[in-house]
């Protein structure tokens, strides 16, 4: 488990044990968990939220490794991409049409981070909080760049 990614995500997501609607109107609970089983009235314990976070970060970590293979990233680069994919979804972040992934694969770190910074909108509206998070992810990624 990439502890840097886990700590980074926890510092940026709020843990809420009662479901709420996020800025995109998705029902969300725990450390940013969404999905068909989460809706109005969904309530988790802290232990459930922690277990879900660890499981989902583990899945995202695997997806990041597979998406950039055979390239091996530094701990910070991997953590930044895990946070990004955790926040926007693995397919959006790392799918075949992802500019971030394409630039990472060819080791064009600056272009990858500039592409990452464009992921700051919800329903066509630029969100200050998302822009701040993308800047922090870009800084973490570049911190690990060799």
């Amino acid at each position: 488990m990439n502890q840097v990614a886990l700590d980074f995500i926890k510092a940026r997501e709020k843990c809420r044990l009662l479901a709420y609607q996020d800025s995109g109107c998705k029902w969300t609970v725990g450390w940013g968990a969404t999905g068909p089983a989460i809706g109005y009235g969904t309530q988790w314990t802290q232990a459930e939220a922690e277990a879900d976070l660890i499981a989902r970060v583990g899945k995202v970590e695997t997806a990041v490794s597979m998406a950039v293979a055979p390239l091996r990233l530094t701990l910070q680069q991997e953590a930044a991409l895990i946070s990004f994919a955790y926040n926007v979804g693995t397919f959006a972040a790392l799918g075949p049409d992802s500019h971030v992934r394409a630039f990472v694969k060819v080791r064009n770190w600056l272009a990858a981070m500039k592409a990452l910074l464009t992921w700051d909108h919800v329903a066509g509206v630029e969100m200050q909080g998302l822009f701040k998070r993308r800047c922090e992810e870009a800084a973490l990624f570049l911190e690990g760049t060799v």
Side-chain angles (χ1 to χ4, degrees):
M1 171 72 56
N2 185 316
Q3 190 65 45
V4 173
L6 193 61
D7 293 343
F8 189 90
I9 291 166
K10 285 181 101 171
R12 283 145 189 89
E13 299 277 347
K14 292 179 182 164
C15 184
R16 297 188 188 173
L17 301 180
L18 182 61
Y20 66 97
Q21 286 187 297
D22 68 11
S23 59
C25 295
K26 290 183 182 178
W27 285 103
T28 307
V29 71
W31 294 98
T34 61
I38 299 166
Y40 177 79
T42 301
Q43 189 165 3
W44 284 2
T45 65
Q46 188 67 44
E48 288 173 316
E50 297 296 328
D52 175 77
L53 175 67
I54 290 167
R56 286 186 305 120
V57 168
K59 288 178 185 176
V60 174
E61 184 175 5
T62 299
V64 167
S65 294
M66 290 174 51
V68 301
L71 186 62
R72 291 191 43 92
L73 302 174
T74 67
L75 188 64
Q76 294 92 343
Q77 288 174 318
E78 181 184 66
L81 292 180
I82 290 169
S83 173
F84 173 55
Y86 180 90
N87 187 242
V88 304
T90 54
F91 188 78
L94 305 167
D97 295 331
S98 168
H99 291 102
V100 174
R101 177 181 178 231
F103 289 130
V104 168
K105 292 278 284 182
V106 296
R107 302 176 62 92
N108 188 338
W109 309 134
L110 290 176
M113 292 307 90
K114 287 179 182 178
L116 189 145
L117 293 175
T118 66
W119 286 83
D120 64 348
H121 289 68
V122 173
V125 177
E126 188 175 30
M127 306 296 286
Q128 181 178 347
L130 284 179
F131 182 70
K132 181 178 185 248
R133 182 170 180 155
R134 297 291 96 87
C135 288
E136 291 168 343
E137 289 163 345
L140 178 62
F141 186 93
L142 292 174
E143 179 184 311
T145 300
V146 289

